[in-house]
Amino acid sequence: MSELQEGQQAPEFTGKDQDGNTITLSQFKGQTVVLYFYPKDDTPGCTAEACDFRDNYAGLKAKGIVVLGVSVDDEKSHQKFVAKHSLPFTLLADTDQSIVTAYGVWGEKNMYGKKYMGTNRTTFLINEEGIISHIINKVDTRNSTAQVLELLEK
């Protein structure tokens, strides 16, 4: 699959959230969506990113922005992550890797010289028409909301 670019239609997806509800991208048409991909529930960087979105969620929601987090962890893992950190937004359990693959964020990673396949931390900003307006490849996990708002205000 070719790499997604800003200005392209965001790939449609269907997934299950932490409560087993079916979620599709198209159900958010007319709203700005922050679709953020992260490697693993309850790890330091992923927790920092999720908590930054949590701490700024009221302001994002007031601007009509929907936050959706995606990882390949299962619903049960997401439930624990949401409960432990009081996350007010939806996490999608992409256990079959269909969403990470569609968005091109599943790839080879390298930790301590060991190569493995995993999710590359990436944030997509999707406008009201379902078009990718911005792609953040270098996510600042402690300031992810500020990164998003800076781009949306341009």
Side-chain angles (χ1 to χ4, degrees):
M1 190 191 117
S2 61
E3 190 174 322
L4 292 175
Q5 303 291 321
E6 293 174 357
Q8 283 184 304
Q9 186 74 35
E12 178 58 49
F13 62 77
T14 301
K16 296 284 187 187
D17 72 5
Q18 67 269 18
D19 299 318
N21 300 311
T22 299
I23 303 293
T24 63
L25 178 61
S26 58
Q27 77 188 65
F28 300 104
K29 196 149 183 100
Q31 297 175 283
T32 299
V33 175
V34 173
L35 183 65
Y36 83 96
F37 292 88
Y38 65 98
K40 189 156 181 54
D41 288 341
D42 217 17
T43 55
C46 299
T47 299
E49 185 176 18
C51 289
D52 182 68
F53 281 128
R54 175 201 65 202
D55 295 346
N56 295 286
Y57 185 70
L60 291 167
K61 192 172 178 185
K63 293 177 186 285
I65 299 169
V66 174
V67 177
L68 300 174
V70 182
S71 83
V72 297
D73 293 311
D74 63 19
E75 293 168 31
K76 191 172 205 150
S77 177
H78 283 347
Q79 287 171 353
K80 289 179 187 172
F81 191 39
V82 165
K84 182 175 180 180
H85 299 286
S86 302
L87 303 179
F89 48 84
T90 299
L91 297 181
L92 295 168
D94 188 23
T95 55
D96 67 357
Q97 301 164 4
S98 62
I99 304 172
V100 294
T101 301
Y103 279 80
V105 299
W106 185 256
E108 186 174 85
K109 299 179 82 168
N110 189 341
M111 186 182 289
Y112 308 118
K114 181 182 174 219
K115 293 186 188 304
Y116 63 98
M117 296 299 286
T119 303
N120 293 303
R121 187 183 311 278
T122 311
T123 300
F124 292 83
L125 306 182
I126 303 169
N127 71 16
E128 296 84 357
E129 289 82 43
I131 304 296
I132 298 169
S133 61
H134 298 90
I135 300 171
I136 304 170
N137 291 308
K138 294 193 184 317
V139 175
D140 179 350
T141 58
R142 298 197 184 285
N143 298 294
S144 43
T145 304
Q147 278 185 302
V148 163
L149 290 174
E150 185 179 316
L151 290 170
L152 289 176
E153 290 167 2
K154 284 186 177 179

